[in-house]
Amino acid sequence: MGVVKARKQDIDMLARLLRAEAETEGETGMLLVGNVGINRIRADCSDFKGIRTIPQMINQPHAFEALQHGLYYQNARERERRLAQRAVNGERSWPAKFSLWYFRPGSFENPGPCPPTWYNQPLAGRHKKHCFYEPTAEECENVYNTF
């Protein structure tokens, strides 16, 4: 049983997102992207109030740059499906354990340093080229109650 409801097509959609957003970050990086997405569904705060499903989370305007690129629109692969299911099942890892945001600073070839805050929220940590940001308790106390 997952921590959010997910049909087969939702798992496929999430799997495609993981690949498009973080394939170069390896399985851990893709799982961390899944963590952030599932956190957005469960937290019901900040920019993510009313987001209750995987399709709502992925299709939220300006949420994921990968939707502008062709890789997202390719078929889901089994490896990413397994990672998506793990995220849906509630598996979370640092630095995305409570994160609601992430991004890759700098260029693809030359990643830059992680700013100490993003959208006024503190840096939780970095995995390879991606920086992850947790909300403050003031911004989203609920994300810390989703375990």
Side-chain angles (χ1 to χ4, degrees):
M1 181 73 179
V3 296
V4 298
K5 291 183 180 182
R7 305 164 296 175
K8 181 188 180 309
Q9 59 262 40
D10 298 335
I11 295 295
D12 283 354
M13 189 177 202
L14 182 58
R16 294 189 344 254
L17 180 74
L18 301 185
R19 179 180 179 197
E21 285 281 321
E23 182 176 37
T24 62
E25 305 287 292
E27 289 195 5
T28 299
M30 288 189 283
L31 183 60
L32 295 174
V33 166
N35 291 168
V36 169
I38 299 304
N39 288 346
R40 289 177 177 185
I41 294 168
R42 298 183 75 204
D44 196 27
C45 64
S46 187
D47 298 330
F48 313 106
K49 287 185 179 178
I51 302 294
R52 291 286 161 266
T53 67
I54 289 171
Q56 287 174 340
M57 176 265 296
I58 291 173
N59 291 310
Q60 184 182 24
H62 313 293
F64 297 102
E65 187 177 306
L67 272 65
Q68 300 170 11
H69 306 289
L71 187 57
Y72 173 75
Y73 298 97
Q74 294 180 8
N75 289 332
R77 299 185 307 189
E78 192 54 38
R79 175 176 92 150
E80 288 84 23
R81 280 189 193 104
R82 284 192 305 272
L83 293 166
Q85 187 64 58
R86 286 169 57 188
V88 165
N89 288 348
E91 182 178 332
R92 294 196 286 192
S93 299
W94 181 88
K97 190 172 187 177
F98 300 111
S99 295
L100 293 176
W101 301 274
Y102 67 89
F103 86 109
R104 183 181 62 219
S107 67
F108 186 78
E109 299 81 20
N110 187 21
C114 294
T117 61
W118 186 252
Y119 293 104
N120 297 318
Q121 304 307 309
L123 176 68
R126 182 179 198 131
H127 176 76
K128 295 188 179 182
K129 296 178 183 176
H130 283 97
C131 307
F132 291 84
Y133 295 84
E134 290 182 5
T136 62
E138 267 182 6
E139 178 72 20
C140 186
E141 181 178 2
N142 194 44
V143 78
Y144 299 100
N145 299 323
T146 57
F147 249 88

